[in-house]
C-alpha cells in the first residue's frame, strides 16, 4: 500500500505542468540529470550527530530561557547554521535553509517530538546561500538562493536518497542582475500566497542605497517583494520601499501579506525602530530609503520628498533587534490568546552599545486585522554581560501546534510546547 501511495504521489507531482520538462538532450550537470530523473552518483552524506557534548551544552543553556507560565522549551535538533524552516504538511519533515551551501532535512520518525535524523538534503545540488525554503500546498518544496530558485516536487516523500527530482524556477542570475549580487542582505525568504503564486523578498545590499540605483531596484524589485507563478513565469513587483525583509507570512484570516523589515544602521542606539508591516494591496510602498525605520528620516534622503501613499508599519520593534522570521500561529496547542497572532524571531543587535534582541516576540492581531502591541514571548539567549548563547532566526509550527525556533549561532532548532503536549 505504501508503494502504491508513493508511486501515485510521484506520478501526480512529475506530470504537473508547473514543473520543467526533462531535456531531450543528454544531461550534463547534476541539476540537468535530476530534472531528467537520472542518478548523479553522489554518495549518501553522513547524518549530523544529535547527542554528545554539544547537545548537552545547548540543553543546559535552554534552562535559562524564560517563557510564559505553562510553556517549556526543549532541544529538537542539532542543525548546523540553521536558518529558515519549512515544515511538510504530510509527515512533519522539516527542511532547513542556511546562509552557507547546505539545506538540511530533519526527521522525527517516532513522533516523540525530538529529531531522530538530521542530514544534508539534495547533496548532489550545489547551493549558494539557500536561506529561503517554503512549501506549496501540494507538497512542492521551493529553495530560494542568493540568485536562483529551485523546486523539489514531493520532497517530503523523496528526500531519503542523495538524488531527488529538481527543477529550475529562476536560473542562476535571473532573480537579480548579477552585478547587484552582494555578501550583504542576501538571505532570501519565500512563501506561497493564497493566489498560489510564489512570493520572494529581495533585500537590497546597502545600508542606504545610492540614488543612482533607485530606478533599477524599483523595476527589478530589489528592496521589495516580488511574486511569480510557481514555474517562474509572470514575474511582477508586489511591494517596494523595503530595506531588508527576512521574514514574511500571509494572514489566513484576510489573506494579507505581513513582513518584518530590518532598518538603517549607524543612526544611534535608539533609532530607527524595526518594523512589522502589512501589505493590503499590490503596489504599496513602505517608505525606505526616505525613512530609515518608522518615521525617522535618513540623512541621505532627508531633503527628498517622500512618495505619496507611503504605508507605515503595523508595529514598531526595538531599534536594531534584527527582526527576522515570522509566522501566524494557526495551531490549537497554545492558549486562545495566541491563536491567530504573530510569532517572530529577533536575531539580536550586532552594533548596538548595549546589545538587545535574541528573543521570540508575540504580536496579537486585533479584530479589525491590525497589529496590537508586540510583547516578549521567550528570552534568555542574551546574557546580562552581553554574550549571546544563541540567536533565533525563524519560527515554524509542527503539525501538533508546537513552535519550532531555529538558531544559526548555536546550530540548533528548539521546540516550544504548552502543558507538556
Amino acid at each position: 500500500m505504501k508503494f502504491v501511495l508513493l508511486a501515485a504521489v510521484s506520478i501526480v507531482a512529475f506530470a504537473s505542468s508547473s514543473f520543467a520538462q526533462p531535456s531531450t538532450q543528454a544531461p550534463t550537470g547534476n541539476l540537468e540529470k535530476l530534472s531528467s530523473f537520472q542518478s548523479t552518483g553522489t554518495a549518501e552524506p553522513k547524518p549530523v550527530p544529535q547527542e554528545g557534548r554539544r547537545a548537552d551544552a545547548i540543553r543546559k543553556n535552554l534552562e535559562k530561557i524564560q517563557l510564559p507560565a505553562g510553556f517549556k522549551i526543549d532541544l529538537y535538533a542539532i542543525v548546523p547554521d540553521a536558518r529558515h524552516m519549512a515544515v511538510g504538511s504530510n509527515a512533519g519533515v522539516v527542511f532547513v535553509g542556511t546562509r552557507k551551501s547546505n539545506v538540511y532535512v530533519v526527521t522525527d520518525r517516532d513522533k516523540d517530538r525530538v529529531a531522530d535524523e538530521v542530514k544534508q538534503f539534495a547533496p548532489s545540488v550545489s547551493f549558494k546561500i539557500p536561506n529561503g525554503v517554503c512549501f506549496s500546498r501540494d507538497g512542492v518544496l521551493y529553495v530560494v538562493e542568493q540568485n536562483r530558485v529551485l523546486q523539489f516536487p514531493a520532497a517530503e516523500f523523496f528526500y531519503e536518497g542523495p538524488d531527488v527530482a529538481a527543477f529550475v524556477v529562476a536560473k542562476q542570475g535571473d532573480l537579480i542582475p548579477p552585478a547587484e549580487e552582494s555578501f550583504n542582505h542576501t538571505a532570501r525568504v519565500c512563501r506561497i500566497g493564497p493566489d498560489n503564486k510564489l512570493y520572494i523578498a529581495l533585500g537590497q545590499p546597502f545600508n542606504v542605497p545610492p540614488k543612482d540605483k533607485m530606478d533599477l531596484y524599483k523595476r527589478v524589485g530589489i528592496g521589495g517583494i516580488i511574486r511569480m507563478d510557481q514555474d517562474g513565469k509572470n514575474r511582477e513587483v508586489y511591494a517596494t520601499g523595503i530595506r531588508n525583509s527576512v521574514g514574511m507570512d500571509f494572514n489566513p484570516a484576510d489573506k494579507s501579506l505581513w513582513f518584518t523589515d530590518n532598518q538603517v544602521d549607524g543612526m544611534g542606539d535608539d533609532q530607527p525602530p524595526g518594523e512589522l508591516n502589512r501589505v493590503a494591496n499590490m503596489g504599496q510602498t513602505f517608505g525606505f530609503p526616505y525613512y530609515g525605520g518608522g518615521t525617522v528620516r535618513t540623512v541621505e534622503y532627508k531633503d527628498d520628498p517622500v512618495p505619496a501613499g507611503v504605508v507605515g508599519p503595523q508595529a514598531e520593534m526595538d531599534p536594531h533587534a534584527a527582526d527576522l522570521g515570522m509566522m501566524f500561529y494557526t495551531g490549537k496547542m497554545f492558549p486562545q490568546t495566541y491563536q491567530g497572532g504573530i510569532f517572530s524571531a529577533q536575531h539580536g543587535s550586532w552594533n548596538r552599545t548595549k546589545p538587545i534582541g535574541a528573543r521570540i516576540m508575540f504580536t496579537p492581531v486585533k479584530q479589525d486585522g491590525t497589529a496590537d502591541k508586540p510583547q516578549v514571548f521567550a528570552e534568555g539567549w542574551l546574557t546580562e554581560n552581553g554574550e549571546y548563547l544563541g540567536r533565533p532566526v525563524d519560527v515554524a509550527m509542527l503539525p501538533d501546534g508546537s513552535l519550532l525556533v531555529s538558531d544559526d549561532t548555536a546550530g540548533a532548532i528548539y521546540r516550544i510546547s504548552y502543558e507538556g503536549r
Side-chain angles (χ1 to χ4, degrees), residues 37 47 68 74 84 127 174 193-194 206 213 257 271 275 366 420:
F37 315 117
D74 299 291
H84 282 71
F127 293 107
D174 274 6
F206 296 93
K213 294 285 188 181
L257 175 61
Q271 68 172 13
E275 294 184 354
K366 295 184 286 189

Side-chain angles (χ1 to χ4, degrees), residues 259-264 270-277 292-296 313-323 346 374:
F259 65 92
T260 59
D261 199 6
N262 287 268
Q263 297 308 310
V264 173
D270 299 319
Q271 68 172 13
E275 294 184 354
L276 178 63
N277 294 278
T295 57
V296 179
Q314 283 286 311
E316 293 187 353
M317 299 293 192
D318 287 333
H320 311 299
D323 299 276
Q346 291 187 339

Side-chain angles (χ1 to χ4, degrees), residues 46-52 54-55 78-79 118:
K46 293 182 179 180
V48 177
Q50 293 299 297
E51 292 298 338
R54 184 177 179 187
I78 299 290
V79 184
V118 176

Side-chain angles (χ1 to χ4, degrees), residues 46 53 61 75 84 90 131 136 154 160 166 182 201 206 223 243 253 319 321 345 370 378 394 416:
K46 293 182 179 180
R53 181 178 177 182
N61 286 337
L75 177 62
H84 282 71
N90 292 290
N131 183 84
S136 68
E160 296 282 7
S182 168
F206 296 93
R243 182 173 178 269
T370 61
D394 193 24
I416 298 176

